[in-house]
Amino acid sequence: EIVLTQSPGTLSLSPGERATLSCRASQSVSSSYLAWYQQKPGQAPRLLIYGASTRATGIPDRFSGSGSGTDFTLTISRLEPEDFAVYYCQQYGSSPPITFGQGTRLESK
Amino acid sequence: EVQLVESGGGLVQPGGSLRLSCAASGFTFTNYAMSWVRQAPGKGLEWVSAISGGGDSTYYADSVKGRFTISRDNSKNTLYLQMSSLRAEDTALYYCAKRTAVGTPFGSFDCWGQGTLVTVSS
């Protein structure tokens, strides 16, 4: 089973700043089968990025994903007030099982 | 509009059973693999089970293998999760989720339901 470790656990930034979230896998994620989700309180997760770098339908271009192998990054170029949430990475290249990271909480400073 | 609506959650005693349902609309249900993903209160996401579009292939997390059964009725556009021998640690919000693209059962999820809460307690 591939274990995903996200860092930092909590990230405190201000609107307008750049956010960089990390997801590290315990072994290589085949074919960059990695996704990122955003979850706000009381809501279901929302797909942001799949295939490590492809934005899902309707996702603003301030969200971008990069990486391969064991190291992946979600970047939010310029934070909007609605971007403060919890972010999860997910791998699906070596399944089953599908695994998720433990999440990064992005909070407003 | 793609929509997933879960139902069937509730309070159940340890060792009990429950069946969750997920009604799908807005897409060709039989073309897409589906999964159940759960989230314990205040915790992260945990994949539970997946099923192929035709229903012939099923997969489970080790934590539920032998206790949970995933199935689907493509004539009713409905996904199910039969849960038995429930434990306190199964307490969670259970989401059904649609695979982003056609193909293998494993992938990203581009549509999620609102979740149905399962509480296992005496």
Side-chain angles (χ1 to χ4, degrees):
Chain A
E1 172 178 326
I2 294 181
V3 176
L4 300 178
T5 302
Q6 294 186 238
S7 61
T10 302
L11 185 57
S12 299
L13 294 170
S14 299
E17 289 191 297
R18 180 185 187 91
T20 303
L21 287 67
S22 174
C23 177
R24 178 162 290 178
S26 60
Q27 54 187 282
S28 183
V29 177
S30 60
S31 303
S32 295
Y33 286 150
L34 187 113
W36 290 93
Y37 298 85
Q38 176 193 69
Q39 187 178 33
K40 297 179 180 179
Q43 296 185 16
R46 173 193 181 198
L47 177 65
L48 300 174
I49 301 285
Y50 62 94
S53 61
T54 302
R55 269 188 304 275
T57 303
I59 301 303
D61 60 7
R62 65 180 181 273
F63 291 91
S64 63
S66 63
S68 64
T70 61
D71 290 295
F72 298 87
T73 301
L74 174 70
T75 301
I76 310 171
S77 60
R78 190 175 169 81
L79 284 166
E80 298 287 342
E82 62 267 27
D83 297 337
F84 294 97
V86 178
Y87 292 82
Y88 295 96
C89 57
Q90 173 218 355
Q91 72 79 27
Y92 48 94
S94 181
S95 300
I98 287 169
T99 54
F100 291 90
Q102 83 281 14
T104 289
R105 181 179 304 277
L106 178 56
E107 63 178 28
S108 181
K109 187 188 295 183
Chain B
E1 178 195 3
V2 176
Q3 194 170 16
L4 300 171
V5 179
E6 302 96 337
S7 60
L11 175 63
V12 61
Q13 292 189 338
S17 299
L18 210 56
R19 188 176 85 155
L20 307 183
S21 299
C22 171
S25 60
F27 64 102
T28 304
F29 185 64
T30 192
N31 285 355
Y32 291 88
M34 299 290 294
S35 277
W36 289 96
V37 177
R38 68 185 180 183
Q39 187 169 35
K43 302 298 184 183
L45 302 169
E46 180 189 14
W47 172 79
V48 172
S49 183
I51 187 168
S52 60
D56 51 319
S57 298
T58 58
Y59 307 86
Y60 300 93
D62 286 345
S63 58
V64 306
K65 200 172 294 183
R67 299 187 300 121
F68 290 10
T69 302
I70 191 172
S71 63
R72 62 192 296 163
D73 185 337
N74 287 342
S75 69
K76 295 182 178 179
N77 287 355
T78 302
L79 176 72
Y80 302 101
L81 186 67
Q82 178 68 49
M83 305 184 295
S84 60
S85 302
L86 283 161
R87 307 166 180 167
E89 55 265 35
D90 295 318
T91 294
L93 188 62
Y94 285 73
Y95 294 103
C96 66
K98 170 188 165 290
R99 170 90 157 81
T100 299
V102 299
T104 73
F106 306 109
S108 58
F109 306 120
D110 65 345
C111 184
W112 299 61
Q114 84 289 350
T116 187
L117 182 62
V118 173
T119 303
V120 183
S121 175
S122 54

